[in-house]
Amino acid sequence: MGLPVIDIRNIHRIYESSAGYTHALRGVSLTVSKGEFLCIMGPSGSGKSTLMNILGCLDTPTTGTYLLEGLDVSQLEDDDLAEIRANRLGFVFQSFNLLPRATVLRNVTLPLTYTDIPVSERKIRAAKALASVGLPPDFFEHRSNELSGGQMQRVAIARALVNDPAVVFADEPTGNLDTATGELIMKAFRSLHDAGKTIVLITHDEEVAAWADRIVHIRDGLLYTDEEHKRLIESRGLA
C-alpha cells in the first residue's frame, strides 16, 4: 500500500489568548491513504477548522507529528509550509475565493504564478484542470463574476487541481450553493476521486458527507470513527 499521504499522530493544538487557553485538538491521530475520499464531520466549535488548517499546512500543532507523504511537516518554518501548500496541496472553499475581475483561465493559473513553469504550459495545465471539472472552453475568458455559483465552484476546484496536488481539501464546498447545484459539485468531486485523487472533505452536512467513502467525526477536539460517533450519540440519548 505504501506510505499514507497523511499521517498525523497525537496532535494537540492549544491557543493562548487574554481569556486563557483553548485546547482545540486533544490528541488527534489519523491516516489517509492515497486515493481515499475522507469526510471529517463536526458541528461549529468542534475543532474541524483547526484540524483542516493543520492538515492543510496553514497552521502547526502545539505537540504531535504530521507526516505528509512521509515528510514531517509539523515543525517546518512558514516559508517551507508555503512551498508545500503551493506545490503539494489544493484547496476548495465555501466562498470560492476567486478574483472577481480576472478571467477563469487567469484564476486557475494563479497557483502556478510563482513557479518556473512557462506561461504557455500554465495555460495548458489550467485548460486540462477546467476540462476535468466539466467547464467548457467557451467560459475560459469569462470573468469569474460573470459565472453562476456552481460554475465558480468548478473554477475553484480546477484551481485546486492545477498543481497536481497530493491532497485536495474541500471546506464546506457546497455551503453557498442550492441543493441541485451542490449535488453537481459533489458529483465532480466523486469523479475526481474515481480518477485517483485523494480528497479530504470538511462538512457538517450529512447528505454531503454521504458522498465520501469514509467518515470520521470530530467533537470537542476528539476524533471518532463513524461507528464510535454513533455509539457516543446513543449513549447521550440523542439517537
Side-chain angles (χ1 to χ4, degrees):
M1 293 289 291
L3 288 172
V5 178
I6 289 172
D7 184 359
I8 60 173
R9 304 173 185 176
N10 199 30
I11 293 291
H12 290 258
R13 185 63 173 100
I14 302 171
Y15 296 103
E16 183 179 2
S17 69
S18 58
Y21 293 92
T22 301
H23 206 153
L25 295 178
R26 301 171 180 269
V28 171
S29 296
L30 177 71
T31 60
V32 182
S33 301
K34 180 178 175 60
E36 191 168 8
F37 192 166
L38 170 71
C39 175
I40 301 172
M41 286 194 72
S44 177
S46 62
K48 67 179 187 295
S49 294
T50 301
L51 180 56
M52 169 76 159
N53 288 341
I54 288 176
L55 293 178
C57 294
L58 297 164
D59 191 12
T60 53
T62 304
T63 61
T65 302
Y66 176 14
L67 302 178
L68 177 65
E69 296 183 299
L71 173 67
D72 187 353
V73 300
S74 49
Q75 303 299 324
L76 292 182
E77 299 295 328
D78 289 346
D79 288 348
D80 295 323
L81 291 174
E83 184 174 351
I84 288 170
R85 290 195 301 270
N87 294 307
R88 300 307 301 139
L89 305 176
F91 299 90
V92 181
F93 301 99
Q94 177 177 339
S95 56
F96 317 134
N97 289 2
L98 302 177
L99 297 178
R101 296 185 180 181
T103 66
V104 165
L105 208 60
R106 173 61 178 153
N107 268 287
V108 177
T109 59
L110 277 177
L112 305 177
T113 299
Y114 299 105
T115 70
D116 57 2
I117 299 170
V119 173
S120 58
E121 175 65 21
R122 295 177 198 172
K123 291 182 178 179
I124 292 171
R125 290 192 182 193
K128 182 179 178 181
L130 286 162
S132 73
V133 297
L135 197 71
D138 293 351
F139 289 91
F140 289 6
E141 295 303 322
H142 282 52
R143 293 181 179 180
S144 64
N145 60 7
E146 298 171 340
L147 305 179
S148 69
Q151 290 166 340
M152 284 193 285
Q153 195 60 296
R154 287 180 185 274
V155 174
I157 297 170
R159 181 185 57 193
L161 295 172
V162 75
N163 60 352
D164 190 24
V167 187
V168 175
F169 294 99
D171 189 4
E172 300 283 6
T174 64
N176 283 339
L177 304 174
D178 61 72
T179 302
T181 305
E183 183 171 349
L184 291 175
I185 292 302
M186 291 313 301
K187 285 181 178 179
F189 277 114
R190 191 73 209 182
S191 294
L192 294 174
H193 166 258
D194 292 343
K197 279 296 176 188
T198 306
I199 299 171
V200 176
L201 171 71
I202 311 291
T203 188
H204 68 279
D205 188 327
E206 291 185 359
E207 291 186 7
V208 172
W211 289 86
D213 290 330
R214 175 184 169 207
I215 301 172
V216 294
H217 296 259
I218 188 166
R219 179 179 288 274
D220 300 327
L222 298 169
L223 209 61
Y224 303 88
T225 65
D226 202 17
E227 288 303 316
E228 287 172 335
H229 183 258
K230 287 177 182 177
R231 288 195 294 269
L232 175 68
I233 295 298
E234 289 170 357
S235 71
R236 294 178 177 178
L238 300 175

